[in-house]
Structure formats: structure tokens, C-alpha cells
Amino acid sequence: MQSKQPTIYDVAKLAQVSPATVSRVLNQPSMVAPDKKARILSAIEILQFVPKADAVAFARQQFKKIGVVAPFFTETSFMERLKGIASVLTGQHYELVIYAVQSIEDLQGYIDMLIGSKRVDGLILLCLSLSDAMVTKLKNSGLPVCFVETDVQGFDSVVIKNIEGGSLVAEFLFANGYRIPGFVGEASRRPYAAHSTEERLGGYASYFASKGISLKMEHVWTGDNVAKASNAGIMKILDRPNRPDCLFASSDTLAIRILKCAVQLGITVPDELGVVGFDDIEMAEFVNLTTVNQSLEESGVLAAETILWRIKEPGKPPKKNTIELTLHQRNSTEIL
Amino acid sequence: MQSKQPTIYDVAKLAQVSPATVSRVLNQPSMVAPDKKARILSAIEILQFVPKADAVAFARQQFKKIGVVAPFFTETSFMERLKGIASVLTGQHYELVIYAVQSIEDLQGYIDMLIGSKRVDGLILLCLSLSDAMVTKLKNSGLPVCFVETDVQGFDSVVIKNIEGGSLVAEFLFANGYRIPGFVGEASRRPYAAHSTEERLGGYASYFASKGISLKMEHVWTGDNVAKASNAGIMKILDRPNRPDCLFASSDTLAIRILKCAVQLGITVPDELGVVGFDDIEMAEFVNLTTVNQSLEESGVLAAETILWRIKEPGKPPKKNTIELTLHQRNSTEIL
DNA sequence: CTGAAAGCGCTAACAC
DNA sequence: GTGTTAGCGCTTTCAG
């Protein structure tokens, strides 16, 4: 129905000025005489002119776009972070482009493409672990990159103190009288995903070790966080004579599964079994789960701010942002 | 560290051909002589050349980008849909750009900008209700648009049979012996968001009406789905002598809140209170919630496929995709 | 089959 | 202050 989008030339003609002047009122209005400015502005209004984003980007070699590449878990944690990222980017008039990686080839391909094709001004890599080759490529490209969850030498990052998180939980459980620790963790088989589970487990185990308590193999399960496998894993830990008296799960969703298994087995929480999760997702409140809060949304905000800062300050040394962890106590660990 | 990204001219020079020919091997390889093609390909390899996406888009006036604008609920439902959208777009080498609307001005601004600035080839509008003026603008712009959840005259859409969903639940509850219905719904105050709650409520109420049962005002609460308000609303319905014997919630998260309140009040589910949710999010399984499954991911897939189809077939009449609903029965309604 | 040349719409020197 | 003129990097007629 519409004939054609107006260009800056149409505006120029209508306002009887040069295209350059139109461009100026768009970008440096103060450098244009008031009368002409008024004429141009009204011409813009009449024509309903909007600068074509791609042409601007192309001429200016700048894109106002940030790419977020992430293993596309349907997880709340991903969502919360994305929300944080979106809120700051939107405020700064940057576009947010999502690249969902579902395989190692995807990841490889995205990185290569993004480096070469000049699609984005910066990249946020969520929960991704890259091969050395790719890291080098990224580094050489000069593209601003911020890692979240992974900490890569020479790059900006937002990291979670996973080890401390593990020991924080262990300390808390120990203080509450629990003495037979168990662990359930989501150890993704995806080679490109970050591995925070191992770190949390490490911190957890070593705290108990410092108290002379060892985490028994048969009280640990790690694997894919899919219903069947994880439930089986949890059941195997709980449905035995020498079961642990507390269980730390690397995510809230897993912790909730534990809660459910406990009910099925007639094990009372927190008396017979203390349960602690990780993430503090909204659902944790519903089920009264004690969990570690890692300010997911804030980590998104930080990542976005960092990448924007990096774009402005290409020379500065890498900045490492650390997210503070807090234990949010609820009924799943309360001592009777 | 890197000098400069190679251009098509560099490749042309190295391969001793014209830039046009390089462009051809990139786009219509069959039209180039094998020997030259080989030379060019190897030059591309040597130079690690990647076409600049923005330059291509600009020259070709086509962007390979789809915008998704949505009220950025941190909701699982949004996420699931996004996942569906992302998977098909990725497969077709389209970029996915997120526009998070947090206010009516945001929405207005995004629409105007997207229409004029030629940033995207198409738009998916999630759970958004637009003013007539904006609808007209969109229509005149000729930009391909697909609505999800809202059904707008003259546009493609993916819709959920909310009314049928409501009556489906009512029918089920009735068949299971429940006779005093109640309803808890998330009625967002955001004027730009779609209102599916009302439709679900409508279908629900009218089914009961057809059985001679009226839904009492004091057994209905609608409001923002935030912890405090909704819990208060639910409590008010349940903590009274004449409370309903079943409650239908417009979303699973609300339904879970109901479950929690019931526990607090010592009301047993499903004996004293049947509870049915909507969405069938992963958590529903954890808490044994009977709920309506609306294939969220599939609706995303459908939306993405539709917009891609529309881009190819600008002339075809609007297509309306309807998502089938199924009731997923779990323990929150089982009759003892 | 291939090269020359003209854009795509805007920005940014460089003169006036 | 403002117009002129070259690009930005790739695609796409149009000749040959």
C-alpha cells in the first residue's frame, strides 16, 4: 500500500537543503541554523522519515547491537540473566540479538561468523566454555567480549563464586547439625557448556573434609537434569540404609526433585533430610527451599554494563566482576 | 592486533578477478567457471574472508532478521515460546532480535522504529494488544507481522483457544464431582498486554452456568501475579466458611500458589479442593498439578514458521494457527 | 561466463 | 553554517 520509505534525500529536497544538513540535524542538531533546522524537522515529520538503521550502521561502521550467545536452556536462570541484559541494553538503545547454541558446531559457527561479519559491537557469552583455538580467535578479532559464568584469561567476565558457594552451603549444613553430606548435580554432557557444578561440589566436599567428614561416592550423583535420570539418581542415594542426612543440589530444580523423592520415600524434610538448592528461583519460595541466591538478574545487568564499558574503553585491562552469594534459609533445612 | 577485516575487493585482487565474480561465487556459485571458482574459494580461505552482514543487508535491502517484541515477563511461558522461535529461525539462518517492552511508550516507540528503520524482515508480537492506530500503522507499513496470543484482523496469528480451555477445565472438574467453582487469574494491569485470563474465565464460568452452577464473585480473584497480592487474594477465597471446592488458575505459577495456601490452611488437595492450572510448565510435574497443556514451544515454532512463510508469500490471505489444548491430569484433582 | 559501473541510504571530511 | 563529494562493502544490472 505504501509507495516507498522516504530517504534522507527526500527530506533534503522538501526542506530545500543538502542531505548532509539533514544528517546533521539528526546527529549534531546544534550545528544547524535554527530556521533550517525547523524546516528540516517539519519535513521529517511530514514525510514520516525514520533513518534506516542498516544504512546508518553501514556508513558509520557501528551497529548498536550486542549479541548474546548461550546454550538455550529453558532455564529460569538463563531467563533472569537475559532480563537483566535486556534492561540495560534497551536503556542504551542497543539491540539484543540472541544466538542459541545447540551443538558444538553451532558455537563454532557463530563465533566465526560474528567475528568476521561485523554484525555486533560486542558479545556476551553465557555459560559457555570455549576451546583454546576459539579463545585465540576471539582475542585476535578484537571484538569486545564478556563471559558470564566462565572466566577466561584476558577477557572481561562476570563470575559466580561457585567454590565459595559450595563451602557456604556445607558450612551452613554442618552448623545445623548435619553430618552425612550428599550431593546431586547437573553435569551437562554438552562440551561447550560451563561447568559450575564441579566447582560447587568441590567447595562443598572440601569444607566437610576440613571437618573430618568425607563425602561418600555413593552419596553423590551427577548427570543430566532430565526427569528420569535425575530422579533415578536421587532415589539411588536416598533409598538405602546408609543414606545421607543432607543433600546439596547444584540447582533449585534438582533440589525440588529431591524434595519430591523424599516425600515419596516418606523421608521427612528437614528432620531426616536437609535439602539446599542453588539459584533461588521463584519456585524456591513456593516449596520452602533453602537455597543460595546468586542475583541472576544482576549478573545480566553487570554483563551488559561491562560490554558497553569495554566498547568505550578498548584499551583498559580486563575487568572481572564477582557476584556475591547469600544463603536464603527456608524450611528445607530448619532444625526442629 | 588484527590489521583489518578483508573485503570482497581483497579477495578479488588475490584471485585476480572482479569483485562481482567473488560476489557470484558467494551467491550463485553455479554461474562461475570452475577454475576461477577454485581460485576465489582458496583466496577466501587464505584471507579468512567473511561477508560483512550489514553490507550485504544494505546492498540487498534484506536483513535476515526477525524481531520479537514482548512484554518481558520472566515467565516460563515466554521462554518456552522463545525457544521454539529460536530453533526455527536459527535453522533458516535468521537472526532473532529481542525488543523488551516495559511500558506503553516502549511499545509505541518500537513499532514506529521498526516500521521505519527497516531493521527487520518481520515481526513477531507476543502477548501484545495494540491500539487501533498502531494496527493501522503496521498494516500500512506492509511489514510482515505475526501475532501470538492476540488475534488481529488482517494479520497472521497463532492463537490459543482460551475460551475452550476454560470450559475444558470446567467440564473436567464437573465430571469429577466438583460443584463449587472458584477462579484465580492473572489480570495484568499493563494495557499493552494480551488478556487471555478473561477468556479462560469466560469459558470456565459459562460451562458451569450451563450446568446451572454460577461462579460466585467471592470465589474469584484476579490481579497481578506477584507473591503478596495473589496470596492475599487466594487466602481470601479459601479462608472462609463457604469456600469453593475447586479452583482454576489462569497459570501454573498461580496454581502452585494455591497449592501452597491450601497446605497452610490445612485444606487437603484434591479431596477438599481440586486445583487446575494452565500452561503445563515443567514445575507442574513436580507438584503434581493437573493443568492445561498448550504446547508453548510449538506455538513459538508456528509463529516463526508463519512469519517466514509470510515473507515469502506477501500476497496470501492471513493465516490463523490454532493451538490445541489438552488437559494433563495429575494428583491435584484426582478423586479419592 | 565475466567485468565495469551504478547504486543501497547515510555519514564525514573538506572546502566554501 | 552548509553544500559537495567521497566513501562504507556488497549486489546487480548491463554490456561484452
Side-chain angles (χ1 to χ4, degrees), chain A residues 53-54 58 72 74 78-79 83 90 95-99 110 117 119 140 257 260 282-283 285-286, chain B residues 2 53 57-58 72 74 78-79 83 90 95-99 110 117 119 257 260 283 285-286:
Chain A
D54 262 65
F58 180 53
F72 207 86
T74 319
F78 172 74
M79 197 59 188
K83 190 180 172 192
T90 300
E95 268 183 354
L96 166 54
V97 186
I98 305 283
Y99 299 94
Y110 283 143
S117 72
R119 271 168 188 275
N140 289 337
R257 289 211 157 91
K260 222 180 133 188
E282 201 191 359
M283 203 60 60
E285 187 220 318
F286 287 132
Chain B
Q2 203 84 330
F58 179 55
F72 207 87
T74 318
F78 172 76
M79 197 56 187
K83 191 180 172 193
T90 299
E95 267 183 356
L96 165 54
V97 187
I98 304 282
Y99 298 94
Y110 282 143
S117 71
R119 270 169 188 274
R257 288 212 158 91
K260 222 182 134 187
M283 203 59 61
E285 187 219 318
F286 287 132

Side-chain angles (χ1 to χ4, degrees), chain A residues 7-9 20 23 27 49 59:
Chain A
T7 74
I8 205 171
Y9 295 98
S23 173
N27 303 299
F49 167 76

Side-chain angles (χ1 to χ4, degrees), chain B residues 43-64:
Chain B
I44 288 178
E45 185 57 32
I46 293 170
L47 263 30
Q48 296 254 47
F49 168 76
V50 181
K52 267 47 139 204
D54 262 66
V56 175
F58 179 55
R60 199 183 274 166
Q61 294 294 83
Q62 186 208 334
F63 312 94
K64 295 288 254 176

Side-chain angles (χ1 to χ4, degrees), chain B residues 2-18:
Chain B
Q2 203 84 330
S3 54
K4 181 115 183 53
Q5 303 279 346
T7 73
I8 204 171
Y9 295 97
D10 300 320
V11 177
K13 202 186 300 175
L14 212 184
Q16 316 205 57
V17 295
S18 76

Side-chain angles (χ1 to χ4, degrees), chain B residues 307-320:
Chain B
I307 198 79
L308 259 23
W309 165 82
R310 168 62 58 201
I311 289 170
K312 297 209 160 159
E313 309 276 8
K316 296 273 171 71
K319 183 187 278 184
K320 182 169 169 174

